[in-house]
């Protein structure tokens, strides 16, 4: 889950003394405000956001629990799993299809493993799935393995459920290293009387070097004890997925293996992103003109002692594990809490279109008279610009419109308008290449041309969070593969350096 930790240290946070000094800076034009402890605030001419010094905070995130119920239709591969990543497969993609509420793997050749896994590398993990075979195996057994620690077809751990020709069902725990398979738990009978299409559940868990598994007939109570539990250090990290096999001498092929309800209750990324700093992002009632006034000085002093939520705190309120927050002023509508991206299309791809008021399930009237109803199926969802508008518009008070009266002072609905014509000032931009991020400030809004199908148009944005523990500039954003707001790397690194999708498709940075 995502975590925000305020580090108060050994002493309570102390507001600065009353004496403040200022210094004008350029590139862009800014005013730096200092006290006896150093830089206290940075104001940017033309922008409302102010970077303040405050208590140190650490922002961290880990794998979002999810369930893949295969409620989509594909004819080649398993597609995109909500919150899980993209399914990859070994061999011919058309052997892996989704329809009728389950995933199906065609074992068309005896003794030829079929692997399908999610493109997300996890260490400790707790995963359950439902599996079956469409016919009672003939000639030889057919097995379905629930895999963890998968790195390639020759290296993984798995709890393997074996459907025998005698209609018995067995469970074994095994590891495969460089193609050599070792049984960590012997094949043990867990059921009899298997019939075609009868669903069974498998659960496998890794905690450190401990591997455990159990299996039970769907519709019955899950056992309270593990059938196999061993200590083994092989394959400590890798993907989650399935391995299907029609054993040597199998007849009546293809044998159709079906999978459903893949549920990751918990999982840990190999390197969870972590950002620590003492910057808080506040917003002025009007853009800063460059004039230092007594009213501004009083505001800066007040913010220096203020630990109520700022823009970054609000951004974290929509990430993994964030609790639901409702507003009595809006008749109990939810205004914060873990967000998804959007409703799913027939192929399982999340649909963009969820704005801040869609998340709340409310129609909205904007100050310029534009109205918009709540989108069907979009409650608790935010697309990329909807997320930015929820943070900076609804919670931080920047005025919003949809598509009319975009004049450089308001926050429009679409990324393509926010980038060139949104509030504040452009810090950096380039055409066809990534601009320098030398002047980026925490709280800035990077914009990307990430959609290869529509080159030359800004189509994604987020909020710059700061430099992470490994030295990478990291931003928080809502996108399809992680299925909501994230600053993790599932479906593409959320960093502005390197050769990743977002680092190379960055085109503009705006400071609100």
């Amino acid at each position: 889950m995502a975590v925000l930790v305020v580090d108060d240290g050994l002493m309570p946070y102390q507001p600065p003394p009353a004496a403040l000094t200022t210094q004008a800076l350029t590139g862009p034009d800014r005013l730096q405000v200092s006290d006896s402890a150093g830089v206290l605030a940075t104001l940017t001419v033309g922008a409302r956001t102010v970077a303040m010094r405050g208590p140190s905070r650490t922002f961290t995130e880990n794998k979002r629990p999810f369930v893949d119920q295969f409620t989509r239709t594909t004819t080649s591969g398993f597609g995109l799993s909500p919150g899980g990543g993209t399914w990859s497969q070994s061999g011919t993609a058309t052997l892996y299809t989704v329809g009728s509420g389950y995933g199906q793997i065609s074992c068309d050749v005896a003794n030829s493993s079929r692997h399908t896994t999610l493109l997300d590398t996890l260490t400790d993990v707790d995963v359950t799935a439902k599996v079956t075979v469409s016919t009672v195996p003939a000639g030889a057994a057919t097995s379905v393995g629930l895999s963890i620690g998968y790195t390639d077809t020759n290296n993984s751990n798995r709890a393997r459920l074996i459907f025998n020709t005698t209609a018995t069902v067995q469970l074994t725990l095994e590891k495969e290293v460089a193609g050599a398979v070792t049984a960590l738990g012997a094949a043990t009978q867990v059921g009899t009387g298997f019939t075609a299409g009868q669903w069974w559940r498998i659960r496998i868990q890794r905690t450190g070097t401990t591997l455990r598994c159990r299996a039970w007939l769907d519709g019955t109570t899950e056992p309270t004890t593990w059938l196999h539990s061993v200590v083994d250090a092989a394959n400590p990290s890798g993907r989650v997925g399935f391995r299907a096999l029609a054993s040597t001498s199998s007849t009546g092929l293809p044998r159709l293996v079906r999978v459903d309800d893949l549920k990751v209750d918990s999982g840990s990324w190999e390197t969870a992103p972590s950002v620590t700093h003492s910057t808080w992002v506040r917003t002025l009632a009007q853009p800063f003109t460059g004039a230092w006034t007594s009213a501004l000085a009083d505001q800066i002093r007040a913010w220096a002692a203020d630990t109520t939520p700022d823009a970054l705190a609000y951004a974290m309120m929509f990430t993994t594990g964030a609790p639901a927050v409702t507003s009595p002023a809006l008749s109990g509508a939810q205004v914060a809490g873990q967000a998804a991206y959007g409703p799913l299309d027939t192929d399982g791809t999340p649909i963009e279109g969820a704005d801040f008021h869609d998340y709340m399930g409310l129609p909205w009237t904007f100050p310029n008279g534009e109205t918009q109803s709540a989108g069907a199926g979009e409650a608790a969802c935010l697309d990329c610009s909807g997320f930015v508008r929820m943070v900076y518009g609804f919670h931080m008070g920047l005025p919003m419109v949809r598509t009319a009266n975009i004049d450089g002072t308001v926050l429009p609905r679409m990324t393509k308008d926010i980038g060139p014509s949104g509030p504040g000032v452009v810090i950096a931009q380039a055409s066809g290449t990534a601009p320098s991020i030398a002047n980026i400030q925490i709280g800035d809004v990077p914009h990307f041309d990430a959609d290869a199908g529509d080159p030359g148009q800004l189509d994604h944005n987020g909020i710059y969070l700061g430099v992470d523990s490994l030295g990478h500039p990291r931003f928080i954003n809502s996108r399809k593969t992680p299925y909501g707001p994230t600053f993790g790397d599932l479906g593409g690194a959320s960093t502005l350096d390197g050769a990743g999708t977002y680092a190379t498709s960055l085109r503009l940075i705006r400071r609100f």
Side-chain angles (χ1 to χ4, degrees), residues 29-54:
D29 291 339
R30 292 158 292 156
L31 187 72
Q32 192 176 83
V33 183
S34 300
D35 62 9
S36 60
V39 176
L40 177 61
T42 302
L43 298 86
T44 302
V45 176
R48 290 176 56 176
T49 54
V50 179
M52 292 288 308
R53 188 186 75 228

Side-chain angles (χ1 to χ4, degrees), residues 28-377:
D29 291 339
R30 292 158 292 156
L31 187 72
Q32 192 176 83
V33 183
S34 300
D35 62 9
S36 60
V39 176
L40 177 61
T42 302
L43 298 86
T44 302
V45 176
R48 290 176 56 176
T49 54
V50 179
M52 292 288 308
R53 188 186 75 228
S56 179
R57 296 178 291 182
T58 295
F59 306 92
T60 62
E61 182 182 355
N62 220 319
K63 178 67 180 177
R64 176 177 295 201
F66 72 96
V67 179
D68 191 341
Q69 296 182 311
F70 296 90
T71 53
R72 55 189 180 272
T73 300
T74 71
T75 57
S76 180
F78 278 4
L80 183 64
S81 177
T86 301
W87 285 97
S88 177
Q89 64 283 320
S90 65
T92 306
T94 53
L95 296 175
Y96 308 82
T97 58
V98 178
S100 302
Y102 50 76
Q104 184 165 275
I105 305 170
S106 177
C107 296
D108 59 332
V109 178
N111 198 35
S112 183
S113 296
R114 305 299 183 205
H115 297 267
T116 180
T117 55
L118 288 168
L119 296 177
D120 194 11
T121 300
L122 303 175
T123 53
D124 287 2
V125 67
D126 187 354
V127 58
T128 305
K130 192 167 72 170
V131 302
T132 191
V133 182
S134 64
T135 57
V136 176
T142 295
S143 62
V144 189
L146 181 54
S147 303
I148 61 174
Y150 175 100
T151 53
D152 56 43
T153 57
N154 293 316
N155 295 274
S156 66
N157 299 321
R158 53 185 171 257
R160 186 163 65 97
L161 201 60
I162 305 166
F163 298 94
N164 294 303
T165 58
T166 57
T168 58
V169 182
Q170 297 173 300
L171 180 68
T172 181
L173 178 63
E174 57 193 26
K175 66 178 178 181
E176 184 171 1
V177 178
V181 178
T182 303
L184 301 175
T188 304
Q189 185 169 299
V190 291
T192 60
F194 173 75
T195 57
Q198 181 187 71
W199 288 99
W200 280 76
R201 291 188 181 269
I202 313 172
R203 183 175 180 182
I204 185 169
Q205 183 184 91
R206 169 184 282 283
T207 306
T209 57
T210 299
L211 292 171
R212 308 181 183 93
C213 70
R214 55 193 178 213
W216 65 100
L217 181 65
D218 185 42
T220 64
T221 303
E222 179 179 354
T224 57
T225 59
W226 299 100
L227 181 65
H228 300 300
S229 182
V230 301
V231 173
D232 193 275
N235 304 309
S237 63
R239 305 178 194 168
V240 168
F242 298 99
R243 182 258 206 176
L245 175 70
S247 298
T248 302
S249 301
S250 291
T251 58
L253 300 181
R255 187 85 65 239
L256 301 179
V257 168
R258 292 169 180 166
V259 299
D260 198 4
D261 288 356
L262 177 75
K263 182 180 182 183
V264 174
D265 284 313
S266 64
S268 299
W269 285 322
E270 280 188 298
T271 305
S274 178
V275 177
T276 300
H277 56 66
S278 58
T279 299
W280 294 56
V281 180
R282 304 291 184 183
T283 54
L284 296 165
Q286 298 293 331
F288 178 53
T289 64
W292 178 242
T293 65
S294 59
L296 271 177
D298 290 342
Q299 180 65 84
I300 295 301
R301 291 188 182 97
W303 277 337
D306 186 359
T307 56
T308 59
D310 69 330
L312 304 186
Y314 280 120
M316 292 293 291
M317 291 182 187
F318 301 92
T319 55
T320 298
V325 179
T326 58
S327 171
L330 293 173
S331 302
Q334 183 171 317
V335 296
Q338 177 178 300
Y341 183 88
L344 303 181
D345 207 342
T346 55
D347 65 355
T349 304
I351 302 170
E352 66 181 356
D355 200 0
F356 72 97
H357 65 92
D358 299 309
Y359 173 93
M360 297 186 285
L362 298 175
W364 207 261
T365 299
F366 295 87
N368 66 349
E370 289 181 293
T371 61
Q372 187 70 18
S373 60

